[in-house]
Amino acid sequence: MAGPRLPLLAWRNLWRNGRRTAITLFSIAFGVLLAVVSTGIGDSSYTEMIDYAARLGGGHVVVQHPDYVDQPSLENSIRVSPEALEAELDTLDKGRARVVGVAPRITGGIMLATSSNNVGAGVVAIDPRAESETTLGLVEALSEGEMFAGPDDKGIILGAVLAENLDVELGKKVVYTVTDKNGEIANGLARVSGIIETGAPEIDGATCLMPIGAMREVLGYEDDELTQLAVFIDDHHHADALATQLDAALGESVSALPWSGALPDLAAFVSVKEGGNVVMQAIITVLIAAGIFNTMFVSVMERMREFGILAAIGFSRVQLFALIVWESLWVALCGLIAGVVLTAYPYYYLATTGIDTAELAGQGAQVSGVTMPAVMYVGLYPPHAVVIAGAIVFATLAAGLYPAYRAGRVSPVEVIRIV
C-alpha cells in the first residue's frame, strides 16, 4: 500500500466498528456544542457590555489630553475637531476596523442645586447633531422629555434617580456649578428638558447630559475645545490597533486610548471571564482527547495481528504509523461535522431568541457602571471558532499518536501467533 491509499484504508477501518465510532463522534460533537455555546455566550455578552460602555463614555477609542486619565479635570482639554480627526483616520491603514462615528464630548464633575437639594454628578456635554443610538446609549434611555435641539440649547437631561434626589421635574430650573479651564468656579442655569432611565443606579443617580455649546460658554472653552473625542468602530477587537496608530499620528499633546485603557475595571472583568472560559475549554478538550485515546488504543490493540500481517506483506513502520494518524484525522473531521450538525439549531435559537435570565438575576450584574445584559445571546467571534476547531483536531491527532506508535512498532513474528 502506497501513501495515497492510506486515507481510503483508514476511512474503511473507521467504520468496521460503527457503534464505537459513532459514540466517539458523538462525544466530539457534544464537546463542540459545549465549547461553541459557552464561548459564544461570552463573546456576545462581553461585546454588548463593551459597546454599551463605549456609548456611555468615550467610545471604543478615546482621544483626550495625556493627563486626563490620572486627572480627569475640565482643565485638561484638547483642541481637535471631529472633522480633523476623521481626516486623520482616513489616512491610516485601519485594517479590518471600520469607523462608524466620531463624537465630541466634554466630561467631568458638576454640582447641581435646586431649592430642595444639591447633588454632585458626572456631566457629559454633547453635540446632539453628532450623536445617535450608535454613539450615545443614553439616547435610547430617554424616558421623558426630548433631546437637545442643538449644541447651544439651554436644557439639561438628568438621570431619573438624580432628578428625584433634586426634587425636580421637566421644565424646572437647575443651577449647576463647575470648575472652568482656569480653575475658577463658574455657574450656570439650565431647564430640565429630559429624564433618562437606564435601570443602573450608578448612571441614573449620578449622570446628566448638557449641550456642548452651553458648557463651552460656561467653561470658557474655544469653539473647538473639548475633553474627549469618542471614536466608534464596528468591532471592539480592533480598538487596540487603531488606538496605537492614532496615538502615534496625533503627537504628544493628544493621547489615544482603547476602551480597555479608558475602562480598566471592565477590561479586567472581561479578561478574567475569558481566562475562565479558556480553562473550561481546555478541560473539555482534555476529556475529548481522553475518550479518543481510549477508543484508538483499544482499536489498535484489537488489531495487532492485522498490523503484523500488514507488516509481513510489506507495510513499513512509517506507513502503519501514518495509517492510525489518518484514522485519527478522519475521526476529528467527522466529529467536527457532527458537531456542526448538533450545534446548528441550538446556536440559531440562542442567537435569535436567547435566554432570559431576568427572573434569576434581576436586571443583571453591573461592572464599572455597565449592566450585564439580562437576555443572553450567542455570537461566536470567528477567530474563536477557528481556535475551537483547531483544538479539536489537535487533541484528536495527539490522542492518536501513542496508538499509532504502538501500531508502527508491531513485530510480525510475535503478533501473527495471536489467535
Side-chain angles (χ1 to χ4, degrees):
M1 281 290 176
R5 292 191 176 184
L6 289 179
L8 179 60
L9 182 59
W11 174 259
R12 290 175 177 173
N13 288 338
L14 196 64
W15 300 105
R16 285 164 60 181
N17 192 326
R19 184 171 62 179
R20 181 166 58 196
T21 299
I23 293 174
T24 303
L25 296 184
F26 179 77
S27 68
I28 296 176
F30 189 70
V32 171
L33 173 64
L34 289 179
V36 168
V37 169
S38 61
T39 305
I41 288 176
D43 287 349
S44 176
S45 299
Y46 305 148
T47 295
E48 190 171 343
M49 288 180 65
I50 292 166
D51 289 345
Y52 184 63
R55 291 185 294 132
L56 284 179
H60 296 103
V61 176
V62 54
V63 177
Q64 59 191 15
H65 193 281
D67 297 332
Y68 192 86
V69 174
D70 298 323
Q71 300 176 357
S73 168
L74 292 169
E75 299 176 44
N76 290 326
S77 61
I78 58 174
R79 297 188 64 179
V80 180
S81 67
E83 295 76 17
L85 184 62
E86 288 176 353
E88 186 65 46
L89 285 168
D90 289 338
T91 66
L92 300 178
D93 179 15
K94 298 183 288 296
R96 292 179 293 174
R98 185 173 67 87
V99 177
V100 297
V102 177
R105 304 273 172 83
I106 296 176
T107 60
I110 191 171
M111 179 63 70
L112 303 173
T114 63
S115 58
S116 302
N117 200 359
N118 57 82
V119 179
V123 62
V124 181
I126 63 172
D127 184 345
R129 300 171 301 182
E131 303 288 358
S132 66
E133 292 183 0
T134 303
T135 61
L136 187 63
L138 296 178
V139 170
E140 56 192 17
L142 193 64
S143 60
E144 298 180 45
E146 57 186 14
M147 184 50 65
F148 308 123
D152 298 316
D153 198 307
K154 299 302 181 183
I156 186 171
I157 297 176
L158 303 175
V161 177
L162 181 60
E164 183 178 346
N165 292 338
L166 289 169
D167 193 23
V168 293
E169 300 175 347
L170 289 178
K172 299 298 182 179
K173 294 180 180 180
V174 175
V175 176
Y176 59 90
T177 304
V178 294
T179 303
D180 65 18
K181 63 183 296 184
N182 299 314
E184 302 294 333
I185 301 298
N187 298 299
L189 183 66
R191 193 178 296 275
V192 179
S193 58
I195 302 293
I196 52 177
E197 188 169 2
T198 65
E202 291 88 346
I203 298 173
D204 294 344
T207 302
C208 66
L209 301 178
M210 289 190 62
I212 196 169
M215 180 60 75
R216 280 176 174 148
E217 182 179 351
V218 172
L219 295 175
Y221 277 13
E222 301 294 334
D223 291 342
D224 61 347
E225 197 167 0
L226 37 82
T227 59
Q228 294 178 332
L229 269 174
V231 180
F232 298 88
I233 56 179
D234 60 342
D235 188 345
H236 69 84
H237 293 92
H238 307 310
D240 287 346
L242 182 59
T244 300
Q245 292 188 61
L246 265 179
D247 198 44
L250 294 175
E252 297 181 357
S253 61
V254 178
S255 174
L257 286 176
W259 67 268
S260 55
L263 298 169
D265 291 343
L266 179 60
F269 172 81
V270 172
S271 178
V272 169
K273 289 296 184 179
E274 288 184 338
N277 191 56
V278 169
V279 172
M280 192 184 76
Q281 304 306 333
I283 293 173
I284 293 174
T285 302
V286 169
L287 292 176
I288 291 174
I292 295 171
F293 172 81
N294 180 67
T295 300
M296 297 301 298
F297 186 74
V298 171
S299 174
V300 167
M301 297 307 294
E302 289 178 348
R303 295 154 55 197
M304 292 301 287
R305 190 169 187 273
E306 172 189 323
F307 293 137
I309 294 174
L310 291 175
I313 64 175
F315 264 72
S316 68
R317 291 183 174 182
V318 173
Q319 287 175 316
L320 290 174
F321 180 89
L323 177 64
I324 304 303
V325 171
W326 268 107
E327 290 183 18
S328 300
L329 181 59
W330 281 125
V331 168
L333 296 178
C334 291
L336 285 177
I337 293 172
V340 171
V341 173
L342 183 64
T343 306
Y345 178 74
Y347 186 92
Y348 173 79
Y349 177 82
L350 292 173
T352 55
T353 304
I355 302 174
D356 191 350
T357 63
E359 294 183 359
L360 298 176
Q363 293 300 314
Q366 295 179 8
V367 181
S368 193
V370 181
T371 303
M372 293 186 67
V375 179
M376 294 191 302
Y377 294 95
V378 167
L380 187 64
Y381 185 46
H384 290 171
V386 174
V387 170
I388 291 173
I392 294 295
V393 172
F394 175 79
T396 306
L397 290 176
L401 288 180
Y402 182 70
Y405 170 78
R406 289 295 300 269
R409 301 293 296 179
V410 68
S411 172
V413 176
E414 294 179 4
V415 298
I416 288 177
R417 297 174 182 174
I418 300 174
V419 179

